[in-house]
Amino acid sequence: MKGLLHTPYFTSLVTVLLLVVMLGLGGAAYPGLLSTQVIFNLLIDNAFLLVIAVGMTFVIVSGGIDLSVGSVLALSTMIAAWLLNVAHWPPLLVIVTVLALGTVFGASMGALIHYFKLQPFIVTLAGMFLARGLCYLISINSITIDDPLFVAMSQTQLQFLGGFVSPGVVIAVITLLLAIWLAHATPFGRAVYAIGGNEQSALMMGLPVGRTKVFIYAFSGFCAALGGVLFSFYMLSGYGLHAQGTELDAIAAVVIGGTLLSGGYGYVAGALSGVLVLGTIQTLIAFDGTLSSWWTKIVIGGLLFVFCVVQRLMAMGQKNTYRS
């Protein structure tokens, strides 16, 4: 058991086991919980969070953090709603514009972090306040989206295995698969892991550290903007108060999914298991019907404490292994 604890994939195994146990106990207590559609609803309701968690995984693996993703999501919904309802832009052009702006926003933060040697926490915190403030420059009220394409994306049900999923789920899964390929089969992915392991060593190996860090935050900004597009499909509105605290949910999902906060190690696929754990907790509380929704935050907080302790024990074990 001690040797298993010190293996790098231990927390990922624990997450999958935890998900299976939660679904098993929930299915025993609430017979409808394990129905195909309820499981699919976990993905439908959290497709935007999965996309954001994918981008956050790259950031955390590199040893950084991005606190701006929730605000960028909200800003993306506001820009999309305004361009559709007020400027009357074509919907596809709106989506491309929103994704481009999110990417540029993230790349700008990455450039500040690397070239000015600023802490990612401070830079992305400033980005969080900036993006959230820009939402209210557009409108202090919610803007309803009635564009036919967005409405169709919201209402379309894709039949699958006896149930249905939304187009947002398909987009989120494709994003996840592309990110897995990017992380584990490209020079960019290898550079991300190298930077997270030891940035100075990455520099000595001749890796393009500056360019890679800018791309990491650009990708996180792209994922946040894409999450905003999916959230627009889901809610059919743009609002400055959308996605408050989503950046913390994304970080929680990434950590619970097995990515080390210290950087250098993690599986992009772990974002999926982390998001499903969070969604399952919410579903169990909803099925119970007697517990306040705040219990979701309490349980997630407890899980984070446990996973942080496990990660610390893993790091200590690895140091002892190197010393011996």
Side-chain angles (χ1 to χ4, degrees):
M1 180 64 185
K2 183 177 180 180
L4 180 61
L5 177 63
H6 295 155
T7 56
Y9 53 81
F10 177 74
T11 52
S12 299
L13 292 177
V14 171
T15 302
V16 174
L17 179 61
L18 176 64
L19 179 61
V20 171
V21 170
M22 289 172 60
L23 289 173
L25 293 177
Y30 314 108
L33 181 71
L34 294 181
S35 67
T36 302
Q37 192 54 53
V38 170
I39 301 301
F40 286 163
N41 286 344
L42 292 177
L43 291 172
I44 293 172
D45 295 338
N46 294 285
F48 72 93
L49 181 59
L50 175 58
V51 171
I52 292 179
V54 165
M56 186 68 74
T57 301
F58 281 82
V59 174
I60 294 180
V61 166
S62 72
I65 200 76
D66 190 351
L67 299 178
S68 70
V69 291
S71 298
V72 172
L73 183 154
L75 180 59
S76 298
T77 66
M78 289 296 289
I79 293 175
W82 188 88
L83 290 177
L84 289 168
N85 287 16
V86 179
H88 303 293
W89 283 24
L92 292 180
L93 180 59
V94 169
I95 293 173
V96 171
T97 300
V98 166
L99 295 179
L101 290 175
T103 303
V104 171
F105 191 88
S108 300
M109 292 190 296
L112 288 173
I113 290 168
H114 178 72
Y115 294 109
F116 291 89
K117 308 302 179 186
L118 300 175
Q119 290 296 319
F121 181 91
I122 298 300
V123 174
T124 59
L125 181 65
M128 179 183 74
F129 287 122
L130 175 61
R132 190 70 69 174
L134 289 174
C135 291
Y136 297 105
L137 283 182
I138 297 174
S139 175
I140 61 174
N141 299 313
S142 175
I143 304 176
T144 300
I145 297 176
D146 55 8
D147 177 80
L149 175 62
F150 278 66
V151 173
M153 293 294 284
S154 176
Q155 297 178 351
T156 297
Q157 298 179 351
L158 304 174
Q159 300 300 314
F160 183 67
L161 295 178
F164 67 85
V165 296
S166 66
V169 172
V170 177
I171 295 171
V173 171
I174 292 174
T175 303
L176 175 66
L177 295 176
L178 290 176
I180 292 173
W181 171 80
L182 188 65
H184 302 293
T186 66
F188 169 74
R190 291 189 286 273
V192 172
Y193 281 91
I195 292 170
N198 190 309
E199 185 172 332
Q200 292 304 316
S201 296
L203 282 169
M204 293 175 64
M205 289 189 296
L207 295 176
V209 172
R211 185 175 64 198
T212 301
K213 289 177 76 171
V214 172
F215 283 172
I216 289 168
Y217 285 90
F219 182 66
S220 180
F222 170 84
C223 288
L226 180 57
V229 172
L230 298 185
F231 202 78
S232 298
F233 294 159
Y234 186 71
M235 298 294 292
L236 289 179
S237 68
Y239 191 28
L241 292 178
H242 277 333
Q244 285 192 319
T246 297
E247 59 278 349
L248 304 181
D249 290 335
I251 294 170
V254 171
V255 173
I256 292 174
T259 299
L260 299 184
L261 279 171
S262 55
Y265 179 81
Y267 296 113
V268 176
L272 175 60
S273 58
V275 168
L276 290 177
V277 166
L278 300 190
T280 301
I281 293 172
Q282 295 172 340
T283 302
L284 287 172
I285 291 174
F287 266 76
D288 180 86
T290 63
L291 296 175
S292 167
S293 60
W294 287 108
W295 276 99
T296 302
K297 303 297 183 183
I298 294 171
V299 175
I300 293 173
L303 282 177
L304 277 176
F305 275 124
V306 172
F307 275 82
C308 287
V309 170
V310 170
Q311 288 188 3
R312 180 58 180 170
L313 292 175
M314 289 172 57
M316 292 172 61
Q318 289 170 355
K319 285 182 180 179
N320 292 334
T321 301
Y322 294 148
R323 289 173 182 174
S324 61

